[in-house]
């Protein structure tokens, strides 16, 4: 091995072509100067056996890819700077995924192509292990077992910039019609400063309509120039990405099999089962096909119930009026509507539903213009008037209910108001409740939404009400299939047996044009399956069937995000049940168990984020969680508002990446990036580094802040807690109890047995070997430490 030392990791690109979670194609810069030794650069400070004399920072990463017929043509450009004091003489190593079909791979450094050689997996493993041993830095071990592309040596003077450009073609992995595209952004954590500019652009061309587009890790901007093409973008500045970029897209070869009616729904299933003795996890993406926009949308009924009490005076009422106008503007021919305005008294635009024609909409606009604020808040009367107008259950019925306060006149009792709406809602109308400001009874709104098949949203003080209502109105614009239910039949299972459970969102749901639904659940029986979505079109039942495969056992963590996403939604569901129905020992036990197993920390399990926390103190942890859930007694005020915003964020989570949505998205909590931007540089560096290292985040509803749980780290399918053993800090697998930790089998780091753990226990183990600090982990029932 000619490379004696290396300066660090240059994460250039990855395309996941096998089932190995760490089967990445990241590039590695290896310093060929034998007089230098250097570990990988880190933004965060960690004890190291010796100082690193050479480091670099990544100034920009620019990824451009086009995908056609399952082949990705990729160009990745990365600009980096040698921030050390000495010249680096480096070679570029590109680890290849097992079984990857990659061709036309070229590497350019400042426009000059470098020669290279392709090494088989056995030879590459020797080189990786030699580098790791020499530098006492295990970060490269996630690539052990993969081939390598190695270039010739090129210099990088101290303080100099280099732009490295990589081009290649790659056959992407597909499961049925679902194609999987991945890029290892998380490896950008190995740099001496946050990445200044990140840009990922993927242009997809398909011979068939593209249905689902989904990322489990990043928010996407999606443009659809045509039914068979899409452009997906993600951009950021000053970041250390905490997860790899992953994109699924679906272009089925034909419409789903339909028991009745026409085609028009696209669906795909992704499954994950880390333990074949336990139920697995599945994710289902469902989306009307692009052609659905060309058909006549279902006629719907929309009622807007707007608060005009005295507390709504001024800008709030002006924004509410704008929101109502926006709803009116989105109505289509065949729709019906009405507007109910309330304070102490309840007034409707017309005594009965109106057709959405120009004359009615113009008159409704004049009615809205004449609204003024004054009086008390008669919530019960307003909802009773609205729901009483709805008589036609053959069409979708939606009620948009807006309030900024507590019920102060008429029926004031929370339980009675909820029961009254339940008794009046005879057409299964979906009620969407908007709470404006901290004075609302947020628990009441959640109950109203839950009982009436809808959802609640929360709008902070000084936030734009019109924008919040407008987002929902746009989503409800074109219903395609209503009252949708899911069934899964697994080949070989007995007739009538239930193959799935714990499906979220709960109950029936509606499918809208251009609106993708993400369902998660658990399955008890693996194998080939038939997924059926059944719903109604104009009161007539229609069913769509899709093939799926539920894996028997996942030997890697490629789809580990599915398990974590399910756990996030289940935690949100548990908090919702405790909030609306009351707590019990089983719910508290499950809440603590999920937090411990999946690292999903909430307001009610925040004690686990304490550096002195003991995840094995089961009884004490449950007692503390029971006490903290008493905070849900706050039905109004800032704390009550923020708790329920955080709960909704978990219930509606669409990605498995720990991230807290901005207030404008209605979930409560500030962006971690926004908080860090205001923090001192030293704090920002440490915080970004901890996040990049995989540490958990949780939302503190009292302080209205997202916080780092520095003692909890999520790695693939496992959660680790930092524990103290004497004067040594150890990352301990959450499934390991105190006795097992004490008797763990020691393995010498960098020994032959240490490197062979991947081959013995599966590719996911490579992630645990790559942890710098001491580790205790359970693998196939055996507990190891190194």
């Amino acid at each position: 091995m000619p490379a004696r030392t290396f300066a660090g990791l240059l994460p250039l690109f990855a395309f996941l072509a096998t089932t190995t979670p760490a089967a990445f194609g990241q590039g590695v810069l290896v310093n060929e100067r034998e007089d230098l030794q250097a570990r990988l650069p880190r933004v965060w400070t960690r004890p190291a056996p010796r100082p690193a004399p050479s480091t670099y920072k990544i100034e920009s990463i620019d990824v451009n890819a086009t995908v056609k017929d399952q082949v990705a043509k990729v160009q990745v450009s990365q600009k980096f700077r040698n921030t050390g004091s000495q010249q680096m003489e480096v070679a570029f190593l590109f680890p290849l995924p097992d079984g990857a079909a990659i061709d036309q791979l070229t590497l350019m450094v400042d426009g000059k192509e470098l020669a290279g050689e392709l090494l088989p997996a056995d030879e590459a493993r020797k080189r990786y292990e030699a580098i790791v041993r020499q530098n006492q830095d295990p970060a490269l071990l996630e690539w052990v077992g993969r081939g390598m592309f190695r270039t010739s040596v090129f210099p990088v003077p101290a303080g100099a910039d280099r732009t490295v450009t990589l081009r290649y073609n790659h056959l992407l992995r597909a499961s049925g019609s679902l194609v999987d595209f991945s890029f290892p952004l998380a490896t950008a954590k190995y740099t001496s400063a946050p990445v200044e500019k990140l840009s990922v652009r993927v242009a997809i061309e398909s011979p068939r309509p593209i249905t689902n587009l989904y990322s489990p890790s990043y928010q996407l901007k999606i443009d659809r120039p045509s039914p068979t093409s899409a452009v997906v973008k993600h951009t950021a500045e000053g970041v250390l990405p905490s997860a790899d970029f992953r994109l699924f897209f679906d272009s089925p070869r034909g419409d789903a099999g339909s028991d009745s009616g026409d085609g028009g729904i696209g669906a795909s299933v992704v499954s994950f089962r880390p333990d074949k003795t336990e139920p697995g996890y599945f994710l289902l993406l469902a989306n009307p096909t692009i052609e659905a926009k060309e058909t006549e949308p279902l006629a719907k009924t929309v009622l807007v119930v707007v608060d005009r009490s005295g507390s709504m005076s001024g800008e709030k009422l002006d924004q509410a009026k704008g929101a109502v106008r926006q709803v009116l503007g989105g109505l289509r021919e065949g729709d019906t509507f009405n507007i109910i305005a309330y304070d102490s008294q309840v007034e409707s635009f017309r005594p009965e539903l109106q057709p959405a024609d120009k004359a009615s909409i113009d008159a409704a606009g004049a009615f809205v213009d004449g609204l003024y604020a004054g009086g008390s808040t008669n919530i019960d009367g307003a909802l009773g008037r609205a729901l009483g107008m709805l008589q036609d259950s053959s069409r979708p019925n939606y009620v948009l209910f807006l309030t900024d306060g507590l019920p102060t006149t008429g029926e004031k009792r929370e339980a009675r108001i909820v029961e009254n709406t339940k008794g009046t809602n005879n057409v299964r109308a979906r009620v969407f409740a908007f709470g404006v400001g901290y004075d609302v009874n947020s628990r009441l709104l959640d109950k109203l939404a839950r009982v009436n098949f809808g959802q609640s949203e929360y709008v902070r003080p000084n936030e734009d009400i019109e924008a919040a209502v407008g987002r929902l109105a746009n989503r409800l614009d074109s219903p395609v299939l209503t009252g949708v239910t899911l069934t899964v039949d697994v080949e070989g299972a007995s007739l009538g047996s239930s193959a799935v459970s714990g499906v979220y969102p709960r109950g029936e749901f509606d499918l809208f044009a251009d609106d993708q639904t993400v369902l998660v659940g658990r399955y008890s029986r693996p194998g080939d399956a038939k997924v059926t979505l059944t719903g109604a079109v104009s009161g007539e039942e229609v069913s769509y069937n899709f093939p799926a495969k539920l894996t028997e056992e996942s030997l890697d963590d490629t789809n580990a995000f599915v398990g974590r996403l399910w756990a996030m939604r289940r935690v949100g569901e548990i908090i919702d049940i405790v909030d609306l129905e009351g707590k019990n020992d089983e719910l508290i036990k499950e809440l603590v168990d999920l937090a411990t197993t999946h690292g999903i920390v909430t307001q009610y399990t925040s004690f686990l984020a304490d550096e002195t926390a003991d995840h094995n103190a089961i009884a004490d942890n449950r007692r503390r969680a029971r006490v903290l859930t008493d905070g849900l007694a706050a039905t109004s005020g800032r704390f009550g508002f923020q708790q329920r915003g955080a709960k909704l964020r978990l219930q509606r989570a669409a990605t498995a990446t720990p991230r807290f949505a901005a207030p404008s998205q209605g979930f409560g909590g500030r962006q971690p990036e926004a908080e860090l931007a205001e923090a001192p540089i030293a704090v920002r560096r440490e915080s970004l580094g901890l996040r990049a290292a995989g540490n958990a985040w949780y939302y503190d509803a009292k302080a209205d802040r997202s916080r780092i749980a520095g003692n909890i780290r999520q790695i693939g399918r496992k959660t680790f807690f930092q524990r103290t053993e004497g004067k040594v800090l150890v990352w301990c697998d959450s499934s390991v109890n105190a006795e097992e930790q004490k008797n763990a089998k020691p393995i010498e780091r960098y020994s032959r047995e240490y490197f062979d753990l991947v081959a013995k226990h599966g590719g996911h183990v490579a992630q645990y070997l790559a942890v710098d600090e001491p580790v205790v982990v359970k693998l196939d029932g055996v507990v190891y430490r190194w």
Side-chain angles (χ1 to χ4, degrees), residues 122-196:
D122 289 345
E123 179 62 25
R125 175 172 182 150
K126 295 177 183 177
R127 298 202 176 205
Y128 286 132
E129 291 179 3
I131 295 171
V132 168
R133 284 194 185 100
Q134 175 66 29
N135 292 274
Q136 300 291 290
D137 191 336
L140 292 180
L141 290 181
E142 59 184 324
W143 298 324
V144 167
R146 280 156 283 285
M148 174 193 295
F149 177 83
R150 181 179 183 274
T151 72
S152 55
V153 178
F154 61 95
V156 185
D161 292 337
R162 286 288 184 270
T163 299
V164 178
T165 302
L166 192 63
R167 299 188 185 98
Y168 66 97
N169 295 345
H170 182 217
L171 178 63
L172 300 180
R173 184 180 63 178
S175 176
S177 61
L178 192 67
V179 180
D180 185 355
F181 175 102
S182 182
F183 184 90
L185 291 180
T187 56
K189 62 192 175 188
Y190 297 114
T191 175
S192 61
V195 178
E196 295 180 6

Side-chain angles (χ1 to χ4, degrees), residues 77-97:
S77 294
Q78 182 163 335
K79 184 178 181 181
F80 67 96
R81 174 173 294 178
N82 180 354
T83 56
S85 59
Q86 303 183 53
Q87 176 165 294
M88 297 161 54
E89 300 289 341
V90 300
F92 177 77
L93 305 183
F94 169 55
L96 297 174

Side-chain angles (χ1 to χ4, degrees), residues 237-238 670-681 683-684 688:
E237 295 182 357
R670 303 176 64 202
Q671 289 276 17
E673 289 82 358
E675 292 181 9
L676 294 175
E678 302 168 6
I681 292 176
V683 173
R684 187 165 185 259
L688 283 168

Side-chain angles (χ1 to χ4, degrees), residues 44-340:
W44 69 102
T45 303
R46 296 215 185 271
R50 53 186 175 274
S54 58
T55 60
Y56 69 87
K57 72 174 182 179
I58 302 170
E59 297 186 342
S60 64
I61 301 175
D62 187 19
V63 183
N64 278 281
T66 59
V67 180
K68 187 175 182 180
D69 296 329
Q70 205 177 317
V71 175
K73 294 185 177 181
V74 186
Q75 175 173 299
V76 185
S77 294
Q78 182 163 335
K79 184 178 181 181
F80 67 96
R81 174 173 294 178
N82 180 354
T83 56
S85 59
Q86 303 183 53
Q87 176 165 294
M88 297 161 54
E89 300 289 341
V90 300
F92 177 77
L93 305 183
F94 169 55
L96 297 174
D98 288 335
I102 293 179
D103 66 1
Q104 298 184 18
L105 189 153
T106 60
L107 179 69
M108 312 286 289
V109 178
D110 290 343
K112 180 180 179 181
E113 184 173 345
L114 296 185
E117 59 177 330
L118 187 64
L119 303 177
D122 289 345
E123 179 62 25
R125 175 172 182 150
K126 295 177 183 177
R127 298 202 176 205
Y128 286 132
E129 291 179 3
I131 295 171
V132 168
R133 284 194 185 100
Q134 175 66 29
N135 292 274
Q136 300 291 290
D137 191 336
L140 292 180
L141 290 181
E142 59 184 324
W143 298 324
V144 167
R146 280 156 283 285
M148 174 193 295
F149 177 83
R150 181 179 183 274
T151 72
S152 55
V153 178
F154 61 95
V156 185
D161 292 337
R162 286 288 184 270
T163 299
V164 178
T165 302
L166 192 63
R167 299 188 185 98
Y168 66 97
N169 295 345
H170 182 217
L171 178 63
L172 300 180
R173 184 180 63 178
S175 176
S177 61
L178 192 67
V179 180
D180 185 355
F181 175 102
S182 182
F183 184 90
L185 291 180
T187 56
K189 62 192 175 188
Y190 297 114
T191 175
S192 61
V195 178
E196 295 180 6
K197 186 176 181 181
L198 168 67
S199 174
V200 180
R201 182 182 185 275
V202 183
I204 305 169
E205 297 180 33
S206 172
R208 298 171 297 277
I210 299 169
T211 55
N212 296 293
L213 284 160
Y214 172 73
S215 173
S217 50
Y218 286 92
Q219 293 180 334
L220 305 176
K221 179 180 178 182
I222 299 174
D223 295 321
R224 289 180 176 268
S226 73
T228 59
S229 64
V231 178
V232 177
K233 298 178 182 177
H234 174 77
T235 58
E237 295 182 357
V239 295
L240 280 176
S242 59
D244 293 335
F245 181 85
R246 191 90 174 273
L247 173 66
F248 292 98
F249 65 92
D250 197 359
S251 53
R253 296 184 180 278
D255 288 329
S258 176
D259 294 338
S260 62
D262 299 324
I265 305 297
S268 298
V269 172
V270 179
S271 62
F272 177 66
R273 196 184 190 198
D275 185 346
K276 63 181 179 180
T277 67
E278 297 288 337
Y281 306 90
F282 74 90
L283 173 144
L284 182 141
L285 304 172
N287 195 7
T289 57
I290 300 299
E291 290 90 342
K293 293 194 302 185
E294 300 170 3
T295 63
E296 192 69 27
L298 295 178
K300 62 184 181 292
T301 296
V302 179
L303 292 176
V304 184
V305 183
V306 59
D307 189 343
R308 63 174 183 187
S309 61
S311 57
M312 286 288 292
S313 62
E315 185 178 2
K316 282 200 289 188
L317 186 59
D318 290 341
Q319 290 184 359
K321 290 180 179 181
V324 178
R325 294 188 194 97
Q326 188 170 355
V327 173
L328 292 173
L331 296 174
R332 299 172 180 267
E333 184 178 352
D335 292 345
T336 56
F337 77 99
N338 211 337
I339 302 167
I340 291 88

